[in-house]
Amino acid sequence: MNRRNRRTDARNPQANSNGPGASAPAACYEAGLRHLRAGRYLDAQICCQQALASDPNHPDSLHLMGLLSRQAQQYEHAVEWIARAIRQAPKVEYLSSLGTTLQQQGRLEEALKALDKAVQLKPEDAELWINLGNVLAELGRPADALLAFQHVLKLNPRHWDAAYRSGFLLHRLGRPAEALFYFDLSDRLQPNQAAILEMRAITLHKLKRFEEALADNRRAHVLNPENADTCNNIGAILQLLGRDQEALPWFDRALELRPDYIVAFTNKASSLQQFHRFDEAFAIYHHMKTIDPGNAQADWDLSLLHMLTGNFEAGWAGREARWKAHSVVYPKLSEPMWLGKESIEGKTILICSDEGLGDSIQFARYVPMVAARGARVILVVDDAMYPLLSALSGVGQSFSKSASMLPAFDMHCPMSSLPLALGTRLDTIPSDISYLPAPAESRVQSWEDRLGSHNKLRVGLVWSGNPNHSNDHNRSVPLRTLSRILDVDASFVSLQKDLRSGDEAALREWTDIIDLTADLADFNETAALVSCLDLVITVDTSVAHLAAALGRATWILLPYLPDYRWLLNRDDSPWYPTVRLFRQTATREYADVLDRVRAELLARVSTFGAANE
């Protein structure tokens, strides 16, 4: 038989028939279905047309025409064909096809109705529930989609894709511990899948189980070495483990695979800064701006590097990128923002906190300067700061951020923009020894009474900050790390709120540490307790700013790459005259830092003892 005859046989269902009725629509449909499965779409269409010529309402053929139209991305025609099939016979298969076709068109609500009808007709079909869950997820209903995927696992406990999708949604819902359960299940059911390992690694990362996350990412990289995201993720975890030297080649590999990969550039610049390779970091940020001129995160990171290296003019201006780079908690105001260009004499200006608690304390020093320009100041701060800053000099009215109503005002200025508005340079930082309102004498006396006799140097201790801070792994230390100084003959007082699990046990062991933090209800109380102390030793937290702004002797333990405000290569601070900075060396270890602190503390104890003899 020649090729032409074989072609004719393929198109003519009667050619392969052996009995009466072979020309019936059903036979044409079956032939068309075989062609579809073999990828011979034109032949399948001819068979359908023959079937429908015989019976215009043959439901299977109408449905098959819909599938062929969908395959050709003719979605409107596909919906019409499948809808005609459903009108003849509302089969589950047809409803499912209609739902997925409508989904591909972006007609999600209609797709949901079709798929919901399908699962009602055949509730035991796991694949229908998968399709339903996919549409619910696209509709932005992750909780409902999750229920659909979990139901699939009830119908088929070995459905690895339903487990994966459940984990993915739980990850998006911010429930990483639950997500990990499903990624583990998916990995057991379908091992050695790069996508599963990548998502499990991201979840382990979120749970701060960094070594496990690193192992999963490495496995994913072996399975899919051309994935730039995996290379970047390996580097990012190595950063968190303090292994920046190992991280750098992974960022380079990610950039080889994807030369415009902004996140990898950002991470590489961050690791370079850990080694004080600032010129290279500057070059990366400038290169990023050629790739993505509107990248606010690059502007923000560049501004912090300018600040760290003392270029305040570029730094303050660049920090305004925070409005685009981050989700800043700040009220939506219709009044104009003041950044120092207009006269404010006779105006009412609202000054509102926009960053962390420590930032509010640091930049509160500018409020009296604004008032001195003839403006009436309305101060709005976080609830935790309200008791402390409401009595700040120059404040006409003060409110907490939770206040429902604010009085009228002419313009506003974020607290963190005050240095920009007032043109602060390194040599013009307003650095009064104490600029916060003095705590009430009655509160101070109450803490004095609780602390008892003052026959030893009183030293306040803070060893960790907000665990959600992006640099917490570098700036916070476990309480046990401070054991190098706790044998000094001083009276140690904990100022540490929100103990971490390991620190609770350590604090119980060191019974000599006075812990009254349960009664530190707000910053006013903390200020009163700090006022009773001779010295505060702290990592870089809001308490460091509080103690320094009260004019108390404050020693701050800093990582090798500190926050921008502490600058570089100096043991004093232009922001706070009573601060001493104890910096890590290039080893990036706190042991040497605390050895230096211990030596200075011994000298301080000796001086205190001599003064009280």
Side-chain angles (χ1 to χ4, degrees):
M1 182 181 293
N2 62 31
R3 181 173 306 202
R4 181 176 178 183
N5 288 337
R6 286 202 303 271
R7 181 73 170 175
T8 303
D9 287 348
R11 295 189 179 196
N12 185 358
Q14 298 183 48
N16 292 322
S17 63
N18 294 309
S23 62
C28 294
Y29 162 74
E30 291 295 340
L33 188 60
R34 287 193 297 272
H35 288 312
L36 173 67
R37 289 169 178 167
R40 298 189 296 268
Y41 304 119
L42 179 58
D43 291 338
Q45 183 179 345
I46 291 171
C47 289
C48 284
Q49 289 170 343
Q50 290 173 344
L52 293 171
S54 175
D55 179 1
N57 294 319
H58 188 255
D60 283 340
S61 297
L62 292 169
H63 176 241
L64 187 54
M65 282 295 287
L67 297 183
L68 289 166
S69 296
R70 187 173 71 186
Q71 189 279 328
Q73 298 183 349
Q74 297 173 349
Y75 297 116
E76 290 290 347
H77 292 308
V79 169
E80 291 177 13
W81 285 113
I82 299 170
R84 283 179 59 188
I86 291 171
R87 285 195 291 272
Q88 300 305 315
K91 291 183 180 181
V92 169
E93 180 185 2
Y94 304 166
L95 289 163
S96 177
S97 295
L98 179 61
T100 53
T101 304
L102 289 165
Q103 180 185 8
Q104 288 175 302
Q105 270 192 297
R107 296 160 63 179
L108 298 177
E109 290 291 352
E110 296 171 81
L112 180 63
K113 291 178 182 178
L115 291 169
D116 187 55
K117 181 70 176 295
V119 297
Q120 289 179 41
L121 293 173
K122 196 176 181 182
E124 73 283 0
D125 189 322
E127 293 309 310
L128 290 176
W129 284 97
I130 281 282
N131 293 339
L132 182 67
N134 289 338
V135 171
L136 287 165
E138 281 196 59
L139 279 167
R141 293 168 57 179
D144 293 331
L146 176 62
L147 291 175
F149 296 139
Q150 289 173 330
H151 187 69
V152 172
L153 289 167
K154 292 178 182 177
L155 296 170
N156 179 6
R158 300 191 59 79
H159 201 299
W160 71 270
D161 190 41
Y164 174 81
R165 292 171 189 271
S166 296
F168 187 83
L169 287 171
L170 285 162
H171 167 74
R172 289 183 57 191
L173 289 166
R175 294 154 63 181
E178 296 170 76
L180 183 60
F181 169 83
Y182 287 100
F183 289 134
D184 286 345
L185 174 60
S186 186
D187 183 52
R188 287 196 300 272
L189 296 172
Q190 190 81 358
N192 299 321
Q193 297 295 311
I196 297 172
L197 291 168
E198 288 160 11
M199 281 307 305
R200 190 168 74 172
I202 290 171
T203 304
L204 287 164
H205 188 155
K206 188 73 173 179
L207 293 168
K208 298 189 176 181
R209 293 164 58 175
F210 300 129
E211 292 287 0
E212 296 169 84
L214 180 60
D216 270 8
N217 269 318
R218 289 189 188 277
R219 286 178 59 199
H221 175 68
V222 170
L223 293 166
N224 185 10
E226 301 305 306
N227 189 319
D229 290 329
T230 303
C231 295
N232 175 72
N233 291 345
I234 291 173
I237 294 171
L238 288 167
Q239 279 183 328
L240 290 167
L241 292 170
R243 295 156 60 181
D244 288 271
Q245 194 66 54
E246 294 177 63
L248 283 169
W250 287 103
F251 299 136
D252 287 336
R253 175 60 177 152
L255 290 166
E256 288 173 10
L257 294 167
R258 195 188 305 168
D260 60 350
Y261 195 174
I262 292 294
V263 174
F265 274 122
T266 299
N267 287 336
K268 181 179 180 180
S270 176
S271 280
L272 288 170
Q273 289 177 73
Q274 288 294 335
F275 300 105
H276 289 198
R277 293 162 62 178
F278 300 124
D279 288 344
E280 293 172 75
F282 272 122
I284 285 177
Y285 289 132
H286 291 309
H287 180 65
M288 289 166 63
K289 294 297 293 178
T290 66
I291 297 172
D292 184 5
N295 190 290
Q297 185 63 47
D299 289 332
W300 168 256
D301 292 336
L302 183 59
S303 75
L304 297 184
L305 188 51
H306 279 306
M307 295 294 297
L308 180 66
T309 53
N311 184 352
F312 279 20
E313 183 177 5
W316 294 127
R319 289 183 86 254
E320 292 303 298
R322 67 188 182 278
W323 303 106
K324 295 181 180 178
H326 304 132
S327 297
V328 181
V329 180
Y330 195 80
K332 293 183 178 180
L333 305 171
S334 58
E335 293 78 2
M337 182 183 292
W338 179 72
L339 292 177
K341 295 181 179 179
E342 306 90 351
S343 170
I344 54 174
E345 185 173 359
K347 304 289 187 180
T348 296
I349 183 167
L350 182 143
I351 297 175
C352 183
S353 63
D354 60 296
E355 292 191 271
L357 302 179
D359 300 280
S360 295
I361 295 172
Q362 180 181 0
F363 299 134
R365 71 187 69 215
Y366 289 98
V367 172
M369 298 172 64
V370 174
R373 293 195 173 197
R376 179 175 178 271
V377 174
I378 300 170
L379 183 65
V380 179
V381 293
D382 294 279
D383 292 12
M385 278 290 142
Y386 177 73
L388 178 70
L389 298 182
S390 58
L392 192 68
S393 174
V395 174
Q397 284 182 283
S398 61
F399 299 87
S400 66
K401 278 190 174 180
S402 62
S404 57
M405 295 289 291
L406 293 174
F409 55 92
D410 300 305
M411 55 190 70
H412 65 97
C413 184
M415 287 189 80
S416 297
S417 295
L418 287 172
L420 171 65
L422 295 170
T424 301
R425 303 188 310 272
L426 189 57
D427 60 345
T428 64
I429 293 173
S431 55
D432 292 343
I433 289 178
S434 176
Y435 57 84
L436 292 180
E441 191 60 39
S442 60
R443 298 308 310 148
V444 175
Q445 188 58 52
S446 175
W447 287 107
E448 284 282 3
D449 294 342
R450 296 183 67 180
L451 291 170
S453 61
H454 196 167
N455 57 354
K456 291 184 179 182
L457 187 77
R458 290 179 181 164
V459 182
L461 297 175
V462 183
W463 53 89
S464 65
N466 181 353
N468 296 319
H469 190 282
S470 60
N471 199 39
D472 181 67
H473 61 288
N474 282 323
R475 68 174 190 163
S476 294
V477 300
L479 173 55
R480 295 185 189 279
T481 303
L482 299 186
S483 62
R484 304 175 85 93
I485 67 173
L486 294 178
D487 63 339
V488 173
D489 188 23
S491 178
F492 292 101
V493 180
S494 173
L495 300 172
Q496 181 67 55
K497 294 286 285 184
D498 302 322
L499 288 175
R500 303 182 188 187
S501 56
D503 294 335
E504 291 177 359
L507 192 57
R508 286 194 296 270
E509 291 177 23
W510 281 302
T511 56
D512 290 341
I513 298 178
I514 300 169
D515 182 15
L516 304 173
T517 54
D519 296 323
L520 294 178
D522 55 39
F523 274 86
N524 251 356
E525 290 293 344
T526 305
L529 175 54
V530 166
S531 296
C532 301
L533 306 178
D534 302 301
L535 171 66
V536 173
I537 300 175
T538 175
V539 294
D540 182 7
T541 70
S542 57
V543 176
H545 291 276
L546 175 67
L550 288 167
R552 312 305 294 177
T554 307
W555 294 357
I556 305 176
L557 315 180
L558 293 179
Y560 184 56
L561 181 69
D563 187 76
Y564 77 88
R565 72 199 80 219
W566 308 120
L567 301 165
L568 297 164
N569 305 318
R570 58 191 299 167
D571 60 9
D572 67 331
S573 169
W575 293 98
Y576 300 108
T578 61
V579 156
R580 286 196 61 186
L581 304 175
F582 291 80
R583 301 174 183 270
Q584 286 180 342
T585 63
T587 64
R588 291 193 279 173
E589 295 178 355
Y590 274 110
D592 174 62
V593 173
L594 288 165
D595 285 342
R596 284 182 274 129
V597 169
R598 187 176 189 280
E600 296 289 343
L601 187 56
L602 285 169
R604 192 79 173 235
V605 166
S606 177
T607 302
F608 180 87
N612 286 275
E613 287 179 357

